[in-house]
Amino acid sequence: MNIRYANDILLTELARQITNELSSMNEYLRDGNLDGAWLRAHTMGSQIESLKERLNVIKYERKQ
């Protein structure tokens, strides 16, 4: 099995950013800060879209 994608810096960075946002969102939820939690969720949505795009690039570029 070839795991070249594990070395993809952009993919790793996006995953790290999403993890950090999730952690922040959980803190806001524990504190009852719904506005802050909403903002974190919104940011995560954008980052998840970027992550999906990167995964598609990796998947389809490497097959060519």
Side-chain angles (χ1 to χ4, degrees):
M1 184 169 149
N2 193 348
I3 308 180
R4 288 188 282 180
Y5 62 86
N7 294 324
D8 188 273
I9 294 170
L10 180 56
L11 186 64
T12 302
E13 178 63 19
L14 287 166
R16 186 191 61 76
Q17 289 174 5
I18 293 166
T19 300
N20 290 342
E21 292 294 340
L22 183 58
S23 177
S24 293
M25 186 178 72
N26 283 328
E27 288 178 25
Y28 285 134
L29 289 172
R30 278 193 301 273
D31 294 341
N33 182 347
L34 296 181
D35 290 333
W38 182 91
L39 183 58
R40 297 286 61 91
H42 179 71
T43 302
M44 280 177 39
S46 299
Q47 292 167 336
I48 288 170
E49 287 301 316
S50 296
L51 181 71
K52 289 170 23 182
E53 289 174 18
R54 184 64 189 154
L55 288 168
N56 277 335
V57 166
I58 292 168
K59 181 178 179 180
Y60 294 112
E61 277 187 357
R62 300 238 165 115
K63 285 188 174 186
Q64 294 177 357

